[in-house]
Amino acid sequence: MTTTGLRRHIGVPGLVVHYLTSVLGVGLLVIPVLAWTTAGPLSLLAWGVLILYSYPFALVFAKLSTLHPTSKGVARFVEAAFGRRPGRVAALYLLMTLLAANPVLGLIAGRYLLAALAPGASNQASLATGGLVILACIALNLLGVKVSGRVQLAVLAVVTAVLCAVIVLALPRGDAASLRPVAPHGWAVFGDCLLICFFGFIGWENAAPIAEEVRDPARAFPRGILCAVCVVGVLYFAMALTVALTLPSDQNTEEGLTGFTRLLRIATGADHATAGYLVAAVLLVLTTNAWCLGTSRVVFALAREGIVPRNLSRLSPRTGTPARAVLALVPGYSLTIGLLVATDSNESVLIKASSAAYLLVFLLAFVSAMRLLRTGPMRWTNYLVTAVTVLMLPFMGISIGYAAAMFAAALLVEAWLTRRERTGRLRTPVSDTASRRAPSNEPRDTASLEHGPHPDPHHDPRPDPAHDPRER
């Protein structure tokens, strides 16, 4: 089946579930403990800042997704604002970031699962189990969005109820004296804490790649994002406060990755470690599944334009799912997991580097929005989130170097693609009009799929924001 258009069948409830499963998980089970051990009570300030930041942040992404509802996500926003080549650089950088960061969730899920089944297992065994969890999520995505969405909704409802019960039971057992002094490790660690907490908010952008499958994006996105942000904000701060009041701040990294079980013990007064591990693993599997979905749609969009092999854009005739793009995640994620296995490192080392890489992705989207959202209140909302994002950059420290290295790699790959295309055009016979109009190795732009083909390969398919009614 060679159809390149995805079916629009996701409504507001499905979008809310996708938002929640994209964000919740590591931000509820792992990040609060890591932030607490890093900065003590000061971590609550970091959570408060980021929760306030998350609504306008997510709102800008929702607005851009309604204006450009394609699977290309952030790369499409950059392309619409600055042109085809910058858009391709953004697409390549986004893909690298997704492939490097997404395995974190599946690996932590595997660690919790193995802790329930085989306590005391080695780090290598935990990484292997996490790899199997990721493979299971990839397999679930092959069944299609409708099937995986129903599974997500049912399991999310149960797990969220359990988490709320743990918070309600554990919070009264806390000690307010734990909140003094405010900065036991000094105020300088606020930056590190902010960086750790920021990872818990990665996922708001994950709805952009599925915009092509959302019914009535202009109606669905604003409603979905409002509901999702309220739920996430309340749950995050409640969990962070519960951790601050009940858990010691001297845990090591391994204890921090599985700290939810200690919270469960405090809440119930008994050792339910196995149950806690399983609940945490299930929630993290949901998030892993949502991230696999979003990343596969980015692969699909890039394949449709020839940035990655075009055969990855083929859809399954049975489910309408880009099955080849989903399967491409297996080798894509294997590199990150392989590096951790080779160095015998755990997934916590990826959190800071991933936060910095995603921060640059967000900044690309917000700078693009300055050209795409020129009127109305969203313009000022975008100015606000852009300013806050820029202010966060110095806190990223050496992690910015990792992000810069990936961005440089994206620039080099895009330059190679451009050189290959130019060579291909030079070798095309001038008399072959059809070939000149659509060279076999010329990536097709997303806009040409939406608005029809452009005879001139040098034609800029971007709408003029000043004359395009959709941009107003």
Side-chain angles (χ1 to χ4, degrees):
M1 184 173 180
T2 58
T3 303
T4 57
L6 296 169
R7 294 196 292 258
R8 292 191 180 276
H9 51 81
I10 300 176
V12 175
L15 188 60
V16 172
V17 171
H18 184 69
Y19 267 127
L20 293 179
T21 52
S22 294
V23 179
L24 297 178
V26 68
L28 271 177
L29 302 172
V30 178
I31 300 299
V33 181
L34 293 179
W36 171 244
T37 57
T38 299
L42 190 60
S43 63
L44 296 178
L45 177 60
W47 282 113
V49 168
L50 289 173
I51 288 170
L52 292 176
Y53 167 72
S54 67
Y55 182 63
F57 169 95
L59 200 60
V60 170
F61 268 99
K63 181 63 175 179
L64 291 172
S65 296
T66 62
L67 296 177
H68 302 280
T70 76
S71 298
K72 207 171 177 182
V74 173
R76 173 58 185 150
F77 310 152
V78 176
E79 181 182 49
F82 299 106
R84 180 169 175 266
R85 291 195 64 184
R88 291 206 308 187
V89 172
L92 290 164
Y93 175 72
L94 175 62
L95 182 59
M96 292 177 188
T97 300
L98 291 170
L99 295 179
N102 287 7
V104 170
L105 298 167
L107 293 175
I108 298 177
R111 189 173 297 277
Y112 269 105
L113 184 61
L114 194 61
L117 302 176
S122 67
N123 180 63
Q124 296 280 357
S126 295
L127 293 174
T129 306
L132 293 176
V133 168
I134 293 172
L135 287 176
C137 290
I138 290 173
L140 182 59
N141 271 277
L142 291 173
L143 300 178
V145 174
K146 282 189 176 181
V147 175
S148 62
R150 288 172 188 149
V151 174
Q152 296 268 94
L153 176 58
V155 180
L156 178 65
V158 174
V159 173
T160 302
V162 172
L163 291 172
C164 289
V166 170
I167 292 172
V168 170
L169 291 173
L171 200 54
R173 301 173 184 268
D175 184 3
S178 301
L179 301 180
R180 296 185 299 271
V182 175
H185 307 297
W187 289 86
V189 299
F190 181 74
D192 284 341
C193 184
L194 197 67
L195 181 58
I196 292 172
C197 293
F198 183 77
F199 191 88
F201 293 88
I202 293 173
W204 293 121
E205 82 296 339
N206 196 41
I210 69 163
E212 194 170 326
E213 298 169 82
V214 174
R215 294 192 305 265
D216 192 6
R219 171 181 172 273
F221 274 100
R223 295 186 181 189
I225 196 62
L226 177 61
C227 179
V229 166
C230 291
V231 173
V232 169
V234 170
L235 284 177
Y236 271 14
F237 196 80
M239 182 62 79
L241 181 61
T242 304
V243 167
L245 293 176
T246 59
L247 294 185
S249 59
D250 57 349
Q251 302 177 83
N252 59 37
T253 301
E254 294 287 340
E255 292 174 328
L257 289 173
T258 56
F260 174 70
T261 55
R262 301 183 67 180
L263 195 63
L264 183 61
R265 188 182 306 120
I266 293 171
T268 61
D271 190 357
H272 297 293
T274 300
Y277 287 139
L278 292 176
V279 169
V282 169
L283 181 57
L284 288 164
V285 167
L286 292 181
T287 310
T288 304
N289 188 67
W291 280 27
C292 287
L293 171 63
T295 305
S296 69
R297 296 320 188 252
V298 172
V299 173
F300 165 77
L302 302 193
R304 196 164 54 179
E305 299 187 13
I307 297 176
V308 297
R310 289 185 184 276
N311 62 3
L312 298 181
S313 67
R314 292 179 179 270
L315 301 181
S316 166
R318 185 173 60 86
T319 64
T321 300
R324 296 188 181 187
V326 174
L327 290 173
L329 300 181
V330 176
Y333 290 155
S334 295
L335 178 60
T336 299
I337 298 173
L339 289 174
L340 292 177
V341 171
T343 59
D344 197 18
S345 303
N346 63 53
E347 56 275 15
S348 64
V349 302
L350 296 176
I351 291 179
K352 288 186 178 181
S354 298
S355 292
Y358 272 107
L359 192 67
L360 186 53
V361 169
F362 303 152
L363 192 58
L364 289 173
F366 299 148
V367 171
S368 300
M370 289 184 178
R371 300 192 67 175
L372 301 175
L373 306 175
R374 294 182 175 178
T375 59
M378 285 304 303
R379 175 182 59 168
W380 299 105
T381 302
N382 182 61
Y383 287 159
L384 172 64
V385 295
T386 303
V388 174
T389 305
V390 171
L391 289 174
M392 290 174 63
L393 287 174
F395 293 116
M396 299 296 153
I398 193 173
S399 298
I400 284 292
Y402 300 132
M406 284 199 296
F407 193 79
L411 285 170
L412 290 174
V413 174
E414 199 285 327
W416 175 78
L417 287 172
T418 300
R419 184 167 59 251
R420 188 187 67 173
E421 291 169 3
R422 288 173 178 171
T423 302
R425 277 198 289 268
L426 288 174
R427 292 177 180 175
T428 302
V430 176
S431 60
D432 189 351
T433 305
S435 297
R436 283 187 287 114
R437 289 186 176 183
S440 60
N441 59 353
E442 174 73 7
R444 295 176 63 189
D445 187 86
T446 303
S448 65
L449 293 170
E450 297 168 359
H451 307 297
H454 299 286
D456 183 359
H458 298 286
H459 175 76
D460 185 356
R462 292 180 295 126
D464 183 352
H467 299 90
D468 188 354
R470 295 181 304 168
E471 308 300 338
R472 292 197 293 270

